[in-house]
Amino acid sequence: MQSQDVAQRQSSAPAAPTDPVVDVEQAEAALVEHYPRLVRLAYLVLPPSLGRNRRVLTAHSLTQRALPRGRPSASVIPAQSTGRSTSQGREADPGYAFVRLQVLRTALEAALPLRRKAWPKRSQLPPLLPQVWGLKLFPRSGGADELALDQRLSALSAPARAAYVLRGLERLADPDVHRLLTAAGVDDPEAALGEADAVPAQYALLDSPEFDPCSLQARPTDLMRRRQRTKAALAAAAALAVSGALLGLPGDGWGPDGAAAPSYAQNPAAEAALDPSRLTKVSPTAWRSSARTDFSVWPARGDLTGDRALLRRALAVWARPGETVQVSTTPGTPSGGPAGPPQLLYAGNVDNARVVLLHDGLRIARYAEPKDGTAGAALDFARTDGATGAEANAVVLDRTDGNVRYLTAPWVTKVAERDLLKPSSGAMDLTITDGITSPLASPATKAGSCASWNVLQITDDSGTRLMTDLGELVPARLTTGRPGRTHDAAGAESLRTWAPFACSLFAVRGQGVRSVNAWQYAEQPLPDASGTAAWVCTRAETWRGGGERTLAQFHTPGGTYGAVAAKAENVPACGARDPHVLAGVLWKSEAGSWYLLAAGSRDTASISTTGGVEQTAQGNLLAVPAKKGTQAELKATLTDGRSISGLR
């Protein structure tokens, strides 16, 4: 680590004549353009011991203070070009090199221990700006891989952590990392590089939302403690104002909370919700005689259902998660503590973590902690009210290395893995051990091209159905058919319907999706004898009852994927309340001619287009010649006389 004097000498050292000079405007332009990357760099280098809330605010503060102080400055180290970076413009920008060095230097200073006989550096103190009152901010939770990497990085020294981040996030070669660490004031860059070698090179994880301090979640601070402090401050102020007069006031108390219960730890109902012995544990055979097919009849499973200490930690974190706990919720899901003792679904060891699954009738809560401690614990919530049958068939137990394990319902007899993009290929059987499936590839963590979409095929006494992982605790159910008369997507025809549109499920990841239906509402003969195209409407329903997403998609003969022709959110079209849809697309034939094609559901009496093309067609199909880039408005009249507009 560098001393204060060394840091001061380096920051004031004159620049070499060949160093590019950076003025305030150039540095500011680089900072604004690359602000998210610079804040992520600071966040990763800062010591995790600060806690996630202060770490986020400090990362933003250090980045915002990285500009030169009103005069041109030398960049000290020009931006390196290693041949591995895909952002050549950034790497060749001396403004970016300057602010990156400043961010790195101050982040390393923030990790230095405070000394009694020396004034602390500004970066070692809580940031003055930005400030957030009454809220805790922290990045979105990642998976088990990100959690494990964060723990490994926290065990490194600050220079070693910086070396790892510069290698992975900035794609710098070791000689460039060595020069940059030297310029930042690190005494022994070679030792830092050697220490960083102890952490596996999982550099792609550094781009995860887990380490993104610009995409944040907010939670309140300790509300009970804040209320108590406010009351104490008000009481002290009142005592100073009226001196001893308060002793003579009549009644039992003067404050608005005079009748309020004490801290919830002394409240009987709240204490019962935190008592592991009060947890509901359903009999392993209860589901066989019950008329219910939901989470309420799931038995408690796992090898740690008797670990009172683990269960106590899970309940306590649920009630009041600390600053270091990674909390994630699906949209529309409350994250507060349980109103009473919840039901235990699972407690056991899974891969490298101890996992507890709890259910309070409205939500599934998943608590996970590393096997070697409680640092880096995670708490996930998913809304499950009204889940029955297929919707209560499986819960995500763990995600590791791009794979997912499920805990299945006790009535599930068989599970398999199937690629939704390949309807003719068979399903690969998975093993079930105490309700836990063997791992299968998860499409929720994919990035880039969509070459496959693996889904979970579940079989029970009522039939076979498909579920897909969309990055949440409860997988979404896949169905096909006209809205109001949908059925599980398990047969050969349903698989063929879904195949071209499987990759469109990317658009609804992390949205609290309950089910997704694919409805082929029309087939249209293409002009120029190009075959017959299919019009399919996919609609994602949510657990919260809002935020539904509808896509009208167009699939031509021989095409691997469908094309999105129109999309909308929070509309009844293509749903059970309004099983009608109208959409259009500009299409180029193999002969090179352009056409405006449109299709509505079967009860469409006529379709009209205005704007770039003026035409009316009887029935539910329209095909008219058009020019490239033509824009038109679609309207249709249904057989009952009602008018609808094109989906948009």
Side-chain angles (χ1 to χ4, degrees), residues 450-471:
C450 179
S452 63
W453 191 278
N454 295 318
V455 295
L456 181 69
Q457 180 173 291
I458 290 181
T459 303
D460 56 27
D461 293 339
S462 62
T464 299
R465 52 193 53 88
L466 299 182
M467 315 289 288
T468 184
D469 181 19
L470 295 178

Side-chain angles (χ1 to χ4, degrees), residues 147 151 304 307 309-310 313-314 317 348-350 352-356 366-378:
L147 175 60
Q151 291 176 332
L304 297 177
D307 189 335
L310 171 63
R313 289 195 298 274
V317 169
N349 291 291
V350 184
N352 295 318
R354 291 186 288 264
V355 178
V356 178
R366 176 186 178 272
Y367 170 79
E369 64 181 27
K371 285 185 178 180
D372 55 358
T374 59

Side-chain angles (χ1 to χ4, degrees), residues 52-128:
R52 290 192 297 166
N53 182 66
R54 180 174 168 185
R55 195 175 167 196
V56 165
L57 296 178
T58 301
H60 283 273
S61 177
L62 298 182
T63 305
Q64 293 170 14
R65 291 194 289 109
L67 293 178
R69 298 184 179 278
R71 55 186 174 81
S73 300
S75 68
V76 183
I77 286 188
Q80 294 84 353
S81 177
T82 66
R84 294 186 296 164
S85 173
T86 60
S87 303
Q88 297 298 329
R90 183 185 73 242
E91 295 299 337
D93 182 4
Y96 178 74
F98 177 84
V99 292
R100 178 174 65 185
L101 177 60
Q102 295 300 108
V103 169
L104 180 63
R105 176 182 291 141
T106 52
L108 289 170
E109 288 175 352
L112 293 175
L114 294 173
R115 298 176 180 175
R116 291 185 177 181
K117 297 183 180 181
W119 288 100
K121 298 179 184 293
R122 183 176 176 184
S123 58
Q124 293 176 282
L125 300 174
L128 297 176

Side-chain angles (χ1 to χ4, degrees), residues 419-484:
D419 187 352
L420 200 58
L421 281 174
K422 301 174 182 176
S424 59
S425 63
M428 183 179 69
D429 289 342
L430 301 174
T431 61
I432 306 179
T433 305
D434 194 22
I436 304 174
T437 69
S438 53
L440 67 151
S442 170
T445 58
K446 284 185 177 180
S449 61
C450 179
S452 63
W453 191 278
N454 295 318
V455 295
L456 181 69
Q457 180 173 291
I458 290 181
T459 303
D460 56 27
D461 293 339
S462 62
T464 299
R465 52 193 53 88
L466 299 182
M467 315 289 288
T468 184
D469 181 19
L470 295 178
E472 298 167 336
L473 283 181
V474 181
R477 182 183 184 183
L478 298 180
T479 60
T480 56
R482 182 180 177 85

Side-chain angles (χ1 to χ4, degrees), residues 369-422:
E369 64 181 27
K371 285 185 178 180
D372 55 358
T374 59
L379 183 65
D380 305 312
F381 293 98
R383 188 168 172 174
T384 57
D385 48 314
T388 59
E391 296 167 338
N393 265 340
V395 174
V396 170
L397 197 58
D398 179 57
R399 287 191 180 91
T400 305
D401 298 329
N403 296 321
V404 59
R405 289 182 188 269
Y406 293 95
L407 180 68
T408 59
W411 52 81
V412 170
T413 57
K414 183 180 179 181
V415 292
E417 178 179 6
R418 175 183 288 280
D419 187 352
L420 200 58
L421 281 174
K422 301 174 182 176

